[in-house]
Amino acid sequence: MVKRPKVIRKWTLARRFVQWGILFLFLTPLFFVKVESDNFFFGSLTSSSFFGITLTDPFAALQILFASREISFVYLGGALLIFLFYLFVRGRVFCSWICPLNTLLELTDKIRNFFKLPDQRFERQHKKYYAIAVILLSFFLGVPVFEMISPIGFAMRNLLFTFGIGLWLIVAIVLFELFISKRGWCRYFCPLGGFYQSIGKVGAFQVKFNHDLCVGCTKCRSVCFADPDILEPAINRENEYVRAGDCSLCGACVDNCPFGALKITVREKPSVINHFHKINIEKKYPF
């Protein structure tokens, strides 16, 4: 009988530390009231200034670029820094480690554990097309479309300033995720998630399965933030890594594996044989 190692949920603890650290960072201007130019940090997830360096959300920068039809090298430079960071680590790491809406919606997962609630599935690849649609609409309408209605932006503004109409959008998403579709907004509809999903496969870090320890209990499927289907190739021993661009490196699957068969690691450079094997797997599982 395989002895189950004691599991320390280190990734969950690290993620909580980052989530609350980010929220505190955005709250610092409220606690330390100074002239903006003297603050070491101020702004929002859309655009911020950190020690005088402008940082911009790449998806927001694209919307502004297409809406204004003008190039701002200050904003594009700040967006490039953020884009390169997520490109190196893994695109959707933003969704599980940074996004304040995800921090809130993790509570809906805990509520779902106590009740048997519906879980309507949708096509999660479509959120990439929603991201493209947002960019095109921004161009034709002359406004950054998603930034006008973004529940992520509303979550930050409600936290920093006051409650408004955005609160009702957030409530609607919470109710949708509770009574219609588990993680429905994040998995299937969020255009920002679709944007980061499109660059997700490039990241240096991946979840790796140790098939000598994995017994196929599928506990990892039950806690996956993105979509349990992205774990199928690894569970079925057809791949060592979770290669899907939708993986957000939340670490939930790693922390909840009762046999310690999963870990987050730097991906290995595939051999020529493994490269062709990967192509065959991706044809079967086009995630």
Side-chain angles (χ1 to χ4, degrees):
M1 183 177 179
V2 179
K3 184 178 179 181
R4 300 185 181 185
K6 184 177 180 181
V7 177
I8 299 176
R9 299 188 175 184
K10 61 180 181 180
W11 289 107
T12 300
L13 292 174
R15 191 159 45 80
R16 291 282 182 267
F17 178 81
V18 172
Q19 286 172 331
W20 291 106
I22 291 293
L23 290 177
F24 177 77
L25 184 65
F26 281 104
L27 287 170
T28 51
L30 301 182
F31 298 134
F32 307 101
V33 180
K34 295 180 181 179
V35 178
E36 286 188 348
S37 60
D38 294 332
N39 284 341
F40 78 96
F41 177 88
F42 67 91
S44 67
L45 283 173
T46 300
S47 182
S48 305
S49 174
F50 186 68
F51 287 109
I53 301 174
T54 299
L55 301 174
T56 309
D57 169 47
F59 189 54
L62 279 176
Q63 293 173 69
I64 294 170
L65 173 65
F66 277 80
S68 65
R69 301 177 179 85
E70 294 180 358
I71 297 177
S72 172
F73 290 102
V74 173
Y75 285 107
L76 288 180
L80 182 61
L81 289 175
I82 300 298
F83 179 79
L84 290 176
F85 170 78
Y86 288 121
L87 187 68
F88 171 72
V89 178
R90 194 174 187 89
R92 290 206 72 196
V93 74
F94 166 85
C95 301
S96 60
W97 288 74
I98 307 298
C99 179
L101 189 61
N102 171 75
T103 305
L104 170 65
L105 295 177
E106 285 189 53
L107 296 176
T108 66
D109 287 350
K110 295 185 181 299
I111 296 174
R112 274 181 163 272
N113 291 335
F114 295 99
F115 303 97
K116 187 176 181 180
L117 297 169
D119 184 13
Q120 177 68 40
R121 303 290 294 276
F122 301 90
E123 175 52 62
R124 61 185 179 79
Q125 297 291 349
H126 286 176
K127 62 181 177 292
K128 291 190 291 187
Y129 306 134
Y130 301 150
I132 295 173
V134 163
I135 299 298
L136 293 176
L137 281 173
S138 297
F139 176 78
F140 288 113
L141 298 179
V143 294
V145 173
F146 185 63
E147 301 312 306
M148 302 288 290
I149 60 172
S150 170
I152 301 168
F154 282 134
M156 291 303 302
R157 287 192 288 273
N158 289 339
L159 177 67
L160 294 173
F161 304 110
T162 184
F163 297 107
I165 192 172
L167 175 64
W168 299 110
L169 177 59
I170 295 171
V171 170
I173 290 175
V174 170
L175 294 176
F176 175 76
E177 302 222 349
L178 271 178
F179 299 109
I180 298 179
S181 178
K182 180 180 180 180
R183 294 214 160 253
W185 167 256
C186 300
R187 287 179 177 176
Y188 310 119
F189 297 108
C190 179
L192 182 56
F195 172 78
Y196 283 121
Q197 178 189 353
S198 66
I199 63 171
K201 288 186 178 182
V202 184
F205 295 89
Q206 294 182 336
V207 174
K208 183 178 181 181
F209 274 66
N210 183 333
H211 291 138
D212 292 331
L213 297 177
C214 177
V215 300
C217 69
T218 69
K219 177 67 175 176
C220 52
R221 282 181 55 90
S222 66
V223 296
C224 180
F225 277 21
D227 192 300
D229 288 347
I230 69 175
L231 302 171
E232 284 302 307
I235 293 174
N236 294 334
R237 300 173 182 267
E238 296 172 330
N239 208 325
E240 279 188 297
Y241 295 93
V242 179
R243 299 189 183 276
D246 241 349
C247 177
S248 64
L249 288 182
C250 64
C253 58
V254 178
D255 285 349
N256 286 277
C257 177
F259 300 97
L262 286 74
K263 66 177 180 179
I264 294 177
T265 183
V266 177
R267 66 176 178 177
E268 299 173 2
K269 187 177 181 179
S271 65
V272 174
I273 294 177
N274 287 337
H275 174 70
F276 286 105
H277 178 65
K278 173 188 170 185
I279 292 175
N280 291 329
I281 293 299
E282 290 183 345
K283 287 181 179 178
K284 185 175 181 182
Y285 300 97
F287 302 139

